[in-house]
Amino acid sequence: FVLAGRLDRSTRPGDTLARYGGDEFAILCDDSGLEDAEAIARRILAEVAEPIVLSHGRVQLTASVGVVLVAPGEHNGASVIQAADAAMYESKRAGKNQSRVVSL
């Protein structure tokens, strides 16, 4: 719940946050350009990097963020998710706390 709250704080009003699977989340950001997408990715990375304080100690997390810029109505959901997944794995290969942006 802590991480979901942090991710929610990283988004803008009107953005949609969803848990996609185990440790994967998806955020749908309408009317976003490259600058907005990069700013959201930076906020996500900063929020995730803050230690989580538990009763028995602190936990430090890292994130890999994949961002896809899509023109409205040009691609289906499956192709967007596939591209975001590929961008996320590219950011993982680059090291901890990275983001990668691709365009469809």
Side-chain angles (χ1 to χ4, degrees):
F1 295 113
V2 173
L3 181 57
R6 290 180 178 192
L7 292 175
D8 190 48
R9 285 194 301 269
S10 301
T11 62
R12 305 165 306 171
D15 291 345
T16 302
L17 170 65
R19 183 172 175 215
Y20 187 66
D23 63 349
E24 294 183 349
F25 292 81
I27 301 172
L28 175 62
C29 305
D30 285 339
D31 299 323
S32 293
L34 179 60
E35 288 181 24
D36 288 333
E38 288 175 334
I40 291 168
R42 282 191 302 274
R43 287 195 304 270
I44 290 169
L45 293 173
E47 285 284 346
V48 171
E50 286 295 316
I52 297 173
V53 179
L54 303 172
S55 61
H56 61 278
R58 296 163 48 127
V59 176
Q60 186 73 46
L61 303 175
T62 60
S64 299
V65 179
V67 178
V68 181
L69 298 176
V70 181
E74 293 194 16
H75 296 276
N76 64 36
S79 67
V80 173
I81 292 292
Q82 196 171 37
D85 200 45
M88 186 253 319
Y89 278 105
E90 186 179 318
S91 71
K92 279 184 185 241
R93 284 190 294 276
K96 295 181 180 183
N97 287 322
Q98 299 288 318
S99 66
R100 291 295 180 264
V101 178
V102 297
S103 295
L104 285 182

